[in-house]
Structures are given as structure tokens and as C-alpha cells.
């Protein structure tokens, strides 16, 4: 087994880390205060090609393997999480469906602008009455002539207010249910009948915008079906399952950053005449944080590698999402503890990480749902 | 426009300097970066190329590790790289400049750019020496540069303000912070860099040997700065404490 990282990917990691630690970090406080990522940071990320991470080279992307992408996302995970989410949701759930399932025409039409970051992608599955149970969605599509007419409301959609291209899952045949009853559509923000509803006020992820997406007789050209009509539910699961591994990588990056911050702070902060790093209680926390981080990293790399080998990751994908997001929760919680009262203050980044970390156990499928999937698969494997 | 840029691999600005058992600076475990002033030079070269057309060649003297800095410059957009490995030879500014000048004289060049100093030894000599050996003008510590009609118009900072100088090309120009904001290499650029030419040379390839470049300056010893002493808190009423502070600054610290 070879764990070495190719030179090219190492150069990319170093460049992204440099950008994130020296440039994005400078504006983190401003992002929190203004709930907005400065445009020049987005422009720089575009120029660096970060929006094209999951898109094949022939459509202007970087054509990276899952493992390579995870190695880069790890560096992005160090940033203010709204910045990571902007790029992560676009390169993950926002583009995966088109890359993996769309027709050649759709790929040619949309992917180059998405790879450059000129068009931001979003994924709309969740509805007010359909969260964990996505299959209970109400949004439906009816074919009229050469157009599909969509009606319904999606909510909690990451990047929606800023996005131009949406992968939308809707019911096309209620009778058929999850076996043939759902279809994925590629919807542009300028299609008639499309609008953005309420923009949510959230606990964290300031700078990342999450909103309702409303379809009122929204007209979608027939050729904008992603994959086959009736295959949308399986498609949504496929999009989410890839996203899980990538989300793991982002969590690992955030853990890395917190471990570094704490290891440094603990040596600077003096109490009882000594750096707090000399107290065993603090050392144990640091050791546990670093170990959680490495364990999450090892699992993420391994499952990313499995994806690249074409191996099924039905059980392992959810394991990454669950373990890495919970590792981040433990790490962020300890980070606040190591910083003491300072960890509760907005002046320091650990307070932000603590709030932002919370979302990773919820979105892209709650961790309860991940456990259900893992256990379901396990019981099937060992069925008696 | 053929542009050559001198690039040095240096310690990271955050590297902790330690001395080894022989009293020499230890490089083990230290992360290396492109000298930040050289990054300004590379960026300026690329901007001139993008405006005027031409080619940017980056040149470094150093071991295998210096390739990282050259690859970074290639990823930013430079066209090719030359790396001269000095082998076991001990280098001083004279030796480095001699090697660089020799390597450059094998190329076509209209403009030579470099950082005004390297953040490690900070001697600020090499680029000037290269100009001297090649017998061309040099303008140091430049914060603004325009190329027009075979001339370079450079703005440089002086102690009391700035001055604008004009020199005929070819010339050596050294970059100061403020000249530009270097770009981050793009991921595509990093992929392309791998395929760009990196010409690796030895001293023998340049027709040089240890004798021709033997260092004229030898470092006798290195010492680390005294660790900073703990500060002193002056207690008491503000007015009284201020008086005491002024007295200490005058009598103990002798700074006022
Ligand atoms: C900031 C943010 C961004 C988001 N971005 C997107 C996006 O871009 N696109 C998108 O489509 N969606 C997005 N979502 C939606 C997200 O995926 C859902 O919130 C999530 O799937 C949970 O659904 P829910 O909120 O309706 O919770 P519910 O499904 O109501 O769950 C409530 C609780 O019940 C538990 N639960 C539910 N069913 C079971 C069960 N069978 N067994 C055990 N426990 C169960 C859940 O785990 C949870 O603890 C986002 C959400 C947030 C908060």
C-alpha cells in the first residue's frame, strides 16, 4: 500500500493551503459580519480553477480522481466553512448529476461555464415535508408538448440565491414511487416560472446562502432531463453518495486547522505560571483531537480510493460522512475547551468552527440516515 | 521580449531557525518556499509577457529542492526553467552571481528580473553582481516598471520619496514589495508545469569549476538572537507610572 501523494497534487495542495491560510482567512471575520464572501476571493478561486474540480478535462475542468479531489478539498476545509461550502456544494452535489448522468449535449452546454465558476450549480431535493424521507416530495413535473412543467417548493437549498444551474428532483409518476416515479431536471434560474423564495437565517455558515426554490408552472425544455425519465431517485442517491466522501475530506481539513490552532494556542496561553500545554488535561485533548483527525483522514482516503476503483461504497460512503462529521464535532468541541473562554468569543476562529461544524451532521443526509443505510447494508450482507 | 527571472528557494518565513552541532543553520524539517521578492519578479515578468508577448525563463542555482520554486514559477505561467546544481561547491554572492550570469549568457535576454533581496541571507547583492558581470545597467528596489521602445522606466523607492529612472534594455531590475500582487498558480497551470522544459545543468555544463567560482566570503559563525526578555509592568497611578516609564527609558534602556 502506497500512501505517498503525487508531486502535482502536492503542489496543488500547497497552493490551495497558501491561498486559504493567507488570503481567505484574512476576510473570515468580514464574511461573518457581512454574511457575504468578498467577490475578489470568489474571482481568485475561479482563476485557480477550483470550481472545476469534479468536471472532466474535456469540458474545461480538472478531471481529478475522487482521491485527488479529496486531497484538495482537505485544504479547502481549513477555510471559513461558507467558502468551503460555496465551492464544495458546487463541485459536489451541484455538478455531479450533470457530469455522471446528463446527455452529451447538456454536458457541452453547461459544464464549461460551471468548470470556470461563471455558473454556480445547486442541488434541490429537500422540501418542507420531505427531508430525510425525500421520497415524500410533492414537487411534480408534467410533460406538455416539448416542455416539462414543474410545480412545487424546495427548501434549504445551498447556494440557491447565487446559483444559475439547478439539478432538481421531481415526481413524474406518483404511482411508480421510487422505482421509476422521479426524474432529475436541469433547471436554469432564468427559466419562466422559476424563483428564489425566503433566504434562511442560520446558526452558522454565514456567507453561504440557503433558500427556498419555487417552481410555478416552471417551463423546462424536454432535453433538460438529466439521465432517463423515471431514474431520478436513484440519480439523487448517486449524487449524494459521492458527495459524502467529499464532505468527509472537508471535515478532515477543518479538523487539521483546529488541531493546529489549539497546539499553538496551548503553548502561548500561560496559567499558573506555565503554558497550558504543560497540563496533562490539555495534552490529552490535543492527542485525541489529532487522532480523530487522522482516523477520519484514513477512512476518507480509503473510501475515495474505492470510488476510483469502481468498487461499491453503499456502506462505506455513509461511514465516511458519519465518522468525519462526528470527528469534527468532537474536535471542535475540544478546541473550544482548549481555548477556554476565548473559545466562546467571536474574535477567535474556534467559535465559528464550532457553530459551522454542526451542519455537517445534518446535511447531505443526517447521520441517523447514514447509520440506517450502514446497518441496512450490513444486515443484508450477513442475512441469515 | 525575452525575460529571464532569477529565483531562489528560501526557508519559509515562519520557519524556526536552529543551528546544528557544527554551528551551521540546519535545514532539516524546514519547509521551503520561493523567495517572496522573487515571486514579485516572476509576476512582473509574466505581466510584461502578457502585454508585450515573449517568453519568461526562470533560473535558479540550487539542489534538487530548488525545483519546487521553479515548478511554482512554471505553474504561474513561466515558459521554461533552468536549474544549475552547484554540487558540493560552497557559494557566496560572487559565486552565485557568476553561475547565474554564465547561465543567462547562454540565453537570449532583453530583461532580467529578480527579487531585490532574498529573505534568508538578505545580502541584496546577487542581482547587482549579475548586471555587473553582464555589463548591463541595474535598477534596484523597484515598485513600478514600464517597458517601452527598448527602454525600461522604473520607479524606485528612496529614503525620502521615490525616483523614476530610465535605462536601456537589456537591464537588470530588482523587485520590491508593492511592485505587484503575485497570482496564485492555477490548478491547470500546475498540471501544465510538469510538461514544461526544466533544463538541469551542472557547473561543468556551464564550463565552470570550483576554482572559477571559489567563494570569496566565508561565514565564520552564526548565532541566534537573544531570546526576548520578559516585559516589565510599572504599577501605580497613571501619571506617576508614566514618569517612571520615562525615567527607565532614559536611564535603563537609554532610548530617549
Ligand atoms: C444549511 C443547510 C443546507 C442544505 N442544503 C441542501 C441542498 O443544497 N439541497 C438539498 O436538497 N437539501 C439541503 N439541505 C437539506 C438537508 O439535507 C436536510 O435538512 C436533511 O436531509 C434533514 O431533513 P430535515 O431537515 O427535513 O429533517 P427531518 O427529516 O425532519 O429529521 C429530523 C430528525 O429526525 C431524524 N430522522 C428522520 N427520519 C428518521 C428515521 N427514519 N430514523 C431515525 N431518525 C430519523 C433525523 O435524523 C433528524 O434527527 C440543507 C439543509 C441545511 C440545514
Amino acid at each position: 500500500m502506497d500512501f505517498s501523494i503525487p508531486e502535482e497534487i502536492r503542489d496543488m495542495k500547497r497552493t490551495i493551503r497558501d491561498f486559504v491560510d493567507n488570503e481567505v482567512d484574512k476576510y473570515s471575520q468580514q464574511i461573518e459580519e457581512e454574511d457575504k464572501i468578498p467577490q475578489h476571493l470568489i474571482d481568485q478561486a475561479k482563476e485557480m480553477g477550483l470550481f472545476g474540480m469534479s468536471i472532466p478535462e474535456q469540458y474545461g475542468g480538472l478531471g481529478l480522481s475522487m482521491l485527488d479531489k479529496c486531497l484538495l478539498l482537505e485544504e479547502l476545509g481549513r477555510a471559513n466553512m461558507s467558502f468551503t461550502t460555496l465551492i464544495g456544494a458546487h463541485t459536489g452535489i451541484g455538478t455531479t448529476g450533470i457530469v455522471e448522468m446528463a446527455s452529451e449535449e447538456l454536458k457541452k452546454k453547461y459544464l464549461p461555464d460551471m468548470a470556470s465558476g461563471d455558473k454556480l450549480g445547486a442541488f434541490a431535493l429537500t422540501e418542507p415535508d420531505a427531508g430525510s424521507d425525500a421520497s415524500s416530495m410533492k414537487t411534480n413535473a408534467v410533460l406538455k408538448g416539448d416542455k416539462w412543467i414543474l410545480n412545487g417548493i424546495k427548501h434549504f437549498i445551498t447556494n440557491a440565491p447565487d446559483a444559475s444551474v439547478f439539478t432538481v428532483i421531481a415526481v413524474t409518476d406518483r404511482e411508480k414511487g421510487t422505482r421509476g416515479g422521479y426524474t432529475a431536471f436541469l433547471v436554469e434560474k432564468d427559466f419562466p416560472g422559476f424563483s428564489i423564495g425566503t433566504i434562511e437565517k442560520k446558526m452558522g455558515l454565514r456567507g453561504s446562502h440557503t433558500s427556498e426554490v419555487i417552481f410555478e408552472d416552471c417551463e423546462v425544455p424536454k432535453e433538460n432531463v438529466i439521465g432517463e425519465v423515471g431514474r431520478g431517485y436513484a440519480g439523487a442517491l448517486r449524487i449524494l453518495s459521492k458527495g459524502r466522501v467529499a464532505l468527509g475530506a472537508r471535515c478532515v481539513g477543518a479538523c487539521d486547522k483546529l488541531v493546529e490552532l489549539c497546539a499553538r494556542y496551548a503553548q502561548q496561553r500561560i496559567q499558573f505560571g506555565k503554558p497550558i500545554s504543560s497540563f496533562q488535561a490539555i495534552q490529552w485533548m490535543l492527542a485525541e483531537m489529532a487522532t480523530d483527525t487522522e482516523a477520519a483522514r484514513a477512512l476518507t482516503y480509503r473510501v475515495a480510493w474505492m470510488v476510483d476503483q469502481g468498487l461499491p461504497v453503499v456502506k462505506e460512503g455513509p461511514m465516511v460522512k458519519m465518522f468525519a462529521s462526528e470527528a469534527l464535532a468532537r474536535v471542535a468541541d475540544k478546541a473550544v475547551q482548549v481555548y477556554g473562554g476565548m473559545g466562546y468569543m467571536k474574535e477567535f476562529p474556534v467559535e465559528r468552527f464550532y457553530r459551522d461544524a454542526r451542519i455537517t451532521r445534518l446535511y447531505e443526509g443526517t447521520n441517523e440516515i447514514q447509520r440506517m443505510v450502514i446497518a441496512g447494508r450490513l444486515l443484508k450482507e450477513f442475512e441469515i | 521580449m525575452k525575460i529571464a527571472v532569477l529565483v531562489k528557494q528560501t526557508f519559509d518565513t515562519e520557519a524556526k531557525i536552529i543551528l546544528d552541532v557544527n554551528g551551521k543553520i540546519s535545514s532539516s524539517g524546514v519547509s521551503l518556499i520561493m523567495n517572496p521578492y522573487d515571486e514579485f519578479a516572476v509576476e512582473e515578468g509574466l505581466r510584461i509577457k502578457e502585454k508585450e508577448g515573449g517568453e519568461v525563463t526562470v533560473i535558479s542555482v540550487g539542489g534538487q529542492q530548488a525545483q519546487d520554486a521553479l515548478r511554482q514559477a512554471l505553474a504561474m505561467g513561466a515558459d521554461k526553467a533552468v536549474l544549475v546544481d552547484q554540487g558540493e561547491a560552497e557559494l557566496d554572492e560572487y559565486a552565485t552571481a557568476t553561475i547565474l550570469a554564465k547561465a543567462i549568457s547562454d540565453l537570449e535576454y532583453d530583461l532580467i528580473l529578480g527579487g531585490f533581496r532574498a529573505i534568508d541571507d538578505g545580502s541584496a547583492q546577487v542581482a547587482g553582481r549579475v548586471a555587473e558581470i553582464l555589463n548591463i545597467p541595474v535598477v534596484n528596489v523597484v515598485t513600478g516598471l514600464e517597458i517601452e521602445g527598448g527602454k525600461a522606466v522604473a520607479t524606485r523607492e528612496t529614503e525620502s520619496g521615490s525616483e523614476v529612472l530610465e535605462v536601456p534594455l537589456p537591464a537588470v531590475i530588482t523587485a520590491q514589495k508593492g511592485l505587484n500582487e503575485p497570482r496564485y498558480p492555477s490548478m491547470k497551470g500546475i498540471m501544465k508545469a510538469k510538461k514544461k522544459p526544466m533544463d538541469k545543468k551542472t557547473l561543468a555544463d556551464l564550463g565552470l569549476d570550483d576554482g572559477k567560482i571559489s567563494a570569496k566570503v566565508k561565514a565564520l559563525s552564526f548565532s541566534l538572537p537573544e531570546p526576548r526578555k520578559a516585559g516589565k509592568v510599572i504599577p501605580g497611578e497613571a501619571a506617576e507610572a508614566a514618569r517612571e516609564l520615562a525615567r527607565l527609558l532614559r536611564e535603563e534602556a537609554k532610548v530617549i
Side-chain angles (χ1 to χ4, degrees):
Chain A
M1 232 179 275
D2 182 2
F3 286 96
S4 60
I5 301 173
E7 183 176 85
E8 185 178 86
I9 299 296
R10 245 188 303 137
D11 284 351
M12 292 186 187
K13 278 172 80 71
R14 195 171 46 190
T15 304
I16 297 175
R17 178 176 297 210
D18 188 13
F19 172 59
V20 160
D21 284 3
N22 296 319
E23 198 63 28
V24 182
D25 261 10
K26 267 196 294 208
Y27 297 93
S28 219
Q29 202 67 27
Q30 184 186 328
I31 294 171
E32 290 301 300
E33 279 159 23
E34 297 177 5
D35 191 19
K36 190 175 180 329
I37 300 169
Q39 187 59 39
H40 76 269
L41 289 182
I42 298 174
D43 291 342
Q44 263 175 308
K46 280 187 190 176
E47 273 162 34
M48 290 170 73
L50 300 181
F51 286 88
M53 270 193 281
S54 323
I55 295 175
E57 278 186 286
Q58 79 242 48
Y59 307 108
L62 300 176
L64 298 175
S65 67
M66 192 61 173
L67 182 53
D68 288 349
K69 190 178 140 180
C70 283
L71 288 163
L72 302 190
L73 280 171
E74 212 177 76
E75 302 300 335
L76 267 180
R78 303 167 65 84
N80 182 311
M81 235 145 92
S82 67
F83 189 75
T84 319
T85 299
L86 177 80
I87 297 173
H90 167 85
T91 59
I93 53 179
T95 49
T96 308
I98 306 174
V99 169
E100 302 222 336
M101 293 173 282
S103 66
E104 190 55 35
E105 289 71 40
L106 288 181
K107 287 187 193 175
K108 277 200 188 120
K109 183 166 174 199
Y110 291 99
L111 289 180
D113 285 343
M114 297 181 88
S116 66
D118 289 336
K119 286 200 169 134
L120 196 62
F123 173 66
L125 173 69
T126 307
E127 298 182 6
D129 292 329
S132 298
D133 179 14
S135 67
S136 64
M137 72 174 66
K138 298 203 179 76
T139 299
N140 66 81
V142 179
L143 187 62
K144 281 206 179 125
D146 59 355
K147 289 205 161 73
W148 285 91
I149 307 299
L150 268 66
N151 277 289
I153 297 183
K154 299 287 179 183
H155 85 161
F156 295 172
I157 307 308
T158 301
N159 289 348
D162 309 297
S164 318
V165 179
F166 293 77
T167 300
V168 180
I169 313 295
V171 181
T172 42
D173 188 341
R174 195 162 300 280
E175 300 287 292
K176 290 193 180 147
T178 53
R179 290 174 188 275
Y182 299 81
T183 301
F185 297 92
L186 195 162
V187 182
E188 287 186 44
K189 75 168 191 313
D190 298 323
F191 285 173
F194 177 99
S195 62
I196 295 295
T198 312
I199 299 178
E200 304 296 342
K201 296 197 175 80
K202 307 184 296 313
M203 174 196 280
L205 282 191
R206 291 193 44 88
S208 166
H209 307 131
T210 304
S211 78
E212 286 177 336
V213 175
I214 302 170
F215 307 94
E216 288 169 296
D217 290 330
C218 176
E219 296 175 19
V220 179
K222 207 172 151 190
E223 62 273 15
N224 274 28
V225 166
I226 300 175
E228 285 167 47
V229 173
R231 302 277 300 142
Y233 200 75
L237 295 183
R238 191 159 150 196
I239 292 169
L240 289 170
S241 88
K242 286 240 165 151
R244 283 171 187 151
V245 186
L247 182 60
R250 287 163 45 189
C251 291
V252 171
C255 286
D256 270 334
K257 180 82 178 183
L258 288 166
V259 168
E260 270 177 47
L261 286 169
C262 288
R264 292 219 171 89
Y265 183 80
Q267 295 177 75
Q268 282 160 4
R269 174 69 178 164
I270 311 284
Q271 283 297 283
F272 299 98
K274 291 184 215 151
I276 59 168
S277 61
S278 65
F279 304 136
Q280 199 177 50
I282 299 291
Q283 288 180 7
W284 284 31
M285 282 196 273
L286 293 175
E288 286 162 6
M289 290 165 76
T291 307
D292 250 333
T293 305
E294 287 307 323
R297 192 189 328 270
L299 182 59
T300 305
Y301 287 4
R302 155 131 172 105
V303 178
W305 173 86
M306 288 173 75
V307 170
D308 290 334
Q309 303 304 308
L311 297 169
V313 294
V314 184
K315 184 172 78 202
E316 290 77 5
M319 285 177 178
V320 175
K321 197 276 183 183
M322 174 187 117
F323 186 80
S325 62
E326 290 174 14
L328 175 58
R330 290 188 291 271
V331 168
D333 185 65
K334 288 188 181 111
V336 173
Q337 206 64 22
V338 168
Y339 268 66
M342 277 304 177
Y344 203 67
M345 299 299 146
K346 288 200 182 285
E347 260 174 275
F348 286 91
V350 292
E351 182 270 344
R352 165 172 55 79
F353 272 109
Y354 182 79
R355 271 184 294 114
D356 288 351
R358 195 62 185 83
I359 187 58
T360 60
R361 286 152 66 193
L362 298 170
Y363 66 9
E364 302 202 13
T366 66
N367 283 13
E368 290 69 38
I369 298 300
Q370 310 300 327
R371 283 176 166 81
M372 265 172 53
V373 176
I374 297 165
R377 185 73 187 182
L378 198 65
L379 293 173
K380 222 182 203 166
E381 273 175 31
F382 296 102
E383 205 171 343
I384 51 167
Chain B
M1 176 84 44
K2 305 262 189 203
I3 303 163
V5 186
L6 315 178
V7 166
K8 184 180 189 182
Q9 178 92 314
T10 58
F11 281 21
D12 192 338
T13 44
E14 278 170 26
K16 208 168 165 214
I17 308 289
I18 47 171
L19 300 180
D20 63 19
V21 282
N22 302 318
K24 295 240 165 92
I25 295 166
S26 163
S27 61
S28 80
V30 171
S31 67
L32 302 168
I33 58 166
M34 187 196 302
N35 175 36
Y37 294 99
D38 298 348
E39 249 182 274
F40 299 128
V42 172
E43 177 64 32
E44 197 63 17
L46 294 174
R47 288 185 190 194
I48 295 168
K49 175 185 113 169
E50 281 154 9
K51 215 165 122 208
E52 313 269 328
E55 195 178 61
V56 174
T57 306
V58 285
I59 306 171
S60 189
V61 178
Q64 289 303 307
Q65 284 162 331
Q67 281 185 76
D68 287 352
L70 291 176
R71 254 199 343 272
Q72 184 186 334
L74 293 174
M76 287 168 79
D79 301 281
K80 47 187 196 177
V82 178
L83 175 65
V84 186
D85 192 336
Q86 79 275 18
E88 298 296 299
E90 291 259 339
L91 300 180
D92 66 353
E93 292 79 2
Y94 157 77
T96 306
T98 306
I99 297 168
L100 285 170
K102 195 82 195 3
I104 291 169
S105 58
D106 289 347
L107 308 168
E108 284 176 59
Y109 59 90
D110 302 304
L111 178 65
I112 299 170
L113 296 165
F116 94 89
R117 69 181 175 102
I119 57 163
D120 49 8
D121 55 30
S123 73
Q125 292 186 30
V126 171
R129 285 174 176 270
V130 168
E132 181 65 22
I133 299 169
L134 296 174
N135 197 25
I136 56 178
V138 56
V139 186
N140 275 327
V141 204
V142 165
T143 53
L145 183 62
E146 292 295 331
I147 302 294
E148 46 191 44
K151 283 182 291 207
V153 179
T155 307
R156 61 183 296 273
E157 285 179 0
T158 66
E159 251 171 48
S160 49
S162 64
E163 65 181 350
V164 179
L165 298 170
E166 185 187 282
V167 287
L169 297 179
V172 174
I173 307 282
T174 70
Q176 162 68 312
K177 189 176 160 69
L179 179 60
N180 53 45
E181 205 40 72
R183 71 195 67 188
Y184 287 94
S186 73
M187 301 302 115
K188 283 238 172 83
I190 291 171
M191 289 171 163
K192 281 191 202 136
K194 227 175 43 175
K195 299 183 192 104
K196 290 182 178 173
M198 166 111 47
D199 192 1
K200 289 182 202 163
K201 297 188 161 169
T202 61
L203 294 181
D205 292 336
L206 291 175
L208 295 170
D209 57 41
D210 285 11
K212 284 191 191 133
I213 59 154
S214 72
K216 295 182 191 283
V217 174
K218 281 211 162 44
L220 297 180
S221 69
F222 296 96
S223 58
L224 296 172
E226 289 275 309
R228 204 151 54 136
K229 294 202 185 84
K232 191 181 248 179
V233 177
I234 302 167
E237 288 287 313
E240 216 169 281
R243 212 170 299 129
E244 175 65 3
L245 173 65
R247 187 189 68 79
L248 289 173
L249 285 174
R250 192 161 359 110
E251 291 171 16
E252 267 185 27
K254 299 195 166 64
V255 293
I256 54 173

